[in-house]
Amino acid sequence: MTLRSAESLESAESSGERWGRPGTAAPVAEECREAEQLAAAMEELRRAGWYWGNMTVAEAKERLQDAPEGTFLVRDSSHSEYLLTISVKTSAGPTNLRIEYQDGKFRLDSITCVRSRLKQFNSVVHLIEYYVLMCKDRTETPSNGTVHLYLNKPLYTSAPSLQHRCRIAINKSTNQIWELPLPTRLKEYLKEYQYQLMDVVACLQH
């Protein structure tokens, strides 16, 4: 999917393409909605604290080389067809798993025959948390030739704030944020990031 720039949307408006011609308003409006959703998803990812932005494969490997197995981060993909990549330390060393973004949804990259069966998400953080929670109870030992990607410790760009740690602790305790006896502004802060990703353990088979 290709997102239009703000300049191209303004040009479409001035030429009557956006609203003045039958059959064009809906596609442009859909592109605007997807652009807003993508911006919101990226802001949520930045808020998580383990998004490293424009980082090369070599830099990610260096960051993870001496980290414990399961340490992971999310960075911009170096491949032009992908937005993001998960870099994670495995028993065989650091490796990478791309995240696809298509039609407003995120999913893990995979071989074509199973790609359509992979779950899709509106949020990168939700995608990662889903696999974290799905795999957290797995205890099997990998067979010969198989490497498991254990996601159990995000590599933060800086130490998480006390407020963020408290928010995650509350998220682990309840999902009824609006029922808590707290000021509205604090509830809004809690709702900005409704995930538990801090110290849970999980794995993705690769």
Side-chain angles (χ1 to χ4, degrees):
M1 184 202 72
T2 301
L3 296 176
R4 290 191 178 187
S5 66
E7 290 81 1
S8 65
L9 291 175
E10 289 174 1
S11 176
E13 284 185 331
S14 62
S15 65
E17 178 185 344
R18 186 172 184 183
W19 306 118
R21 297 176 185 171
T24 61
V28 173
E30 179 63 25
E31 287 188 5
C32 290
R33 183 162 54 251
E34 284 192 23
E36 291 173 354
Q37 290 175 348
L38 177 58
M42 292 304 295
E43 178 58 31
E44 182 179 71
L45 179 57
R46 294 185 186 96
R47 197 176 290 128
W50 29 264
Y51 168 59
W52 287 75
N54 187 19
M55 169 183 276
T56 66
V57 175
E59 289 171 337
K61 182 177 180 179
E62 183 179 357
R63 288 281 183 179
L64 294 168
Q65 189 64 55
D66 297 325
E69 182 180 354
T71 303
F72 70 92
L73 59 86
V74 175
R75 60 182 176 83
D76 295 339
S77 178
S78 57
H79 194 293
S80 61
E81 294 183 7
Y82 298 86
L83 279 178
L84 301 164
T85 292
I86 303 171
S87 293
V88 56
K89 176 67 176 294
T90 73
S91 59
T95 192
N96 303 283
L97 182 62
R98 293 174 181 140
I99 298 176
E100 289 189 344
Y101 179 72
Q102 187 174 24
D103 299 326
K105 301 289 185 179
F106 298 92
R107 68 181 174 189
L108 296 179
D109 182 33
S110 184
I111 57 176
T112 304
C113 64
V114 301
R115 188 172 299 157
S116 62
R117 300 201 299 269
L118 293 177
K119 189 174 177 63
Q120 300 182 83
F121 303 86
N122 293 325
S123 162
V124 181
V125 183
H126 189 193
L127 177 152
I128 293 177
E129 184 180 61
Y130 170 82
Y131 288 105
V132 164
L133 297 176
M134 182 184 74
C135 300
K136 68 178 182 179
D137 295 325
R138 289 189 180 180
T139 58
E140 71 268 20
T141 301
S143 57
N144 291 338
T146 300
V147 175
H148 280 193
L149 308 187
Y150 292 95
L151 305 181
N152 64 0
K153 184 180 180 181
L155 184 63
Y156 285 88
T157 58
S158 60
S161 67
L162 178 59
Q163 293 93 327
H164 187 62
R165 288 179 177 273
C166 289
R167 174 163 57 184
I168 292 175
I170 292 173
N171 290 340
K172 290 180 179 180
S173 300
T174 181
N175 58 6
Q176 303 296 322
I177 300 300
W178 291 111
E179 304 301 321
L180 297 175
L182 298 170
T184 300
R185 186 173 180 180
L186 183 52
K187 292 179 183 179
E188 291 173 348
Y189 173 76
L190 295 174
K191 293 287 286 185
E192 285 179 354
Y193 187 87
Q194 302 180 68
Y195 303 98
Q196 305 176 21
L197 296 179
M198 179 68 78
D199 55 6
V200 287
V201 179
C203 62
L204 298 174
Q205 187 166 328
H206 176 65

